Amino acid sequence: MNIKSHIFQLAKYGFFGVIATLVHLLTAWAIIYFFAASVFVANTFAFFTAFVFSYVFQTLYVFHSTFHFKKFMKFFLVQYGTFLASYFLSDAFPVQNSYLHTLLIVAIMPFITFVVHKFWTFK
């Protein structure tokens, strides 16, 4: 794979990642707003919603792979591990506004996940 292919793949990953991030944010914010849920509860539900979206689109359109349970579990471990790590790291920087706190959590995840998915999940 040449450098242009890697850049194009990263761009597609970013595109679908932005959409998944918006799915996550809108879901979390809606849960916070309509149910007065905690940031943790809202982001947990939002994570699973965005996870399904992301797995389908990353598998089919970014990594041109097929659906397999083993890949699904690897994808889940990477995404959930990153979610937990970013959540606990975000607690190190307390933000009083739940919406901004959620944005901080979501902004941390994508930087690590592309490399791990490329070289482990979809290897």
Side-chain angles (χ1 to χ4, degrees):
M1 195 178 239
N2 63 37
I3 191 74
K4 281 185 177 182
S5 297
H6 289 295
I7 291 170
F8 185 62
Q9 186 180 38
L10 181 59
K12 287 191 298 185
Y13 183 83
F15 174 76
F16 289 114
V18 165
I19 295 172
T21 299
L22 291 173
V23 168
H24 184 120
L25 280 171
L26 293 173
T27 302
W29 288 350
I31 292 168
I32 290 168
Y33 181 79
F34 289 112
F35 301 104
S38 70
V39 169
F40 183 77
V41 169
N43 277 292
T44 300
F45 189 85
F47 165 80
F48 286 109
T49 304
F51 170 80
V52 171
F53 172 88
S54 186
Y55 177 70
V56 169
F57 283 89
Q58 299 296 354
T59 298
L60 294 176
Y61 299 110
V62 175
F63 298 105
H64 302 288
S65 190
T66 56
F67 298 109
H68 291 288
F69 184 73
K70 185 176 180 178
K71 289 178 189 174
F72 178 85
M73 292 307 298
K74 285 181 172 182
F75 195 88
F76 177 80
L77 288 173
V78 171
Q79 295 300 111
Y80 191 65
T82 306
F83 165 70
L84 288 177
S86 64
Y87 182 79
F88 291 118
L89 284 174
S90 76
D91 277 350
F93 307 99
V95 177
Q96 297 302 323
N97 183 301
S98 295
Y99 302 103
L100 291 176
H101 194 143
T102 300
L103 184 61
L104 177 63
I105 291 167
V106 178
I108 294 170
M109 290 192 281
F111 297 107
I112 300 167
T113 58
F114 175 76
V115 172
V116 177
H117 286 316
K118 182 167 181 63
F119 294 106
W120 185 61
T121 306
F122 294 101
K123 180 180 152 194

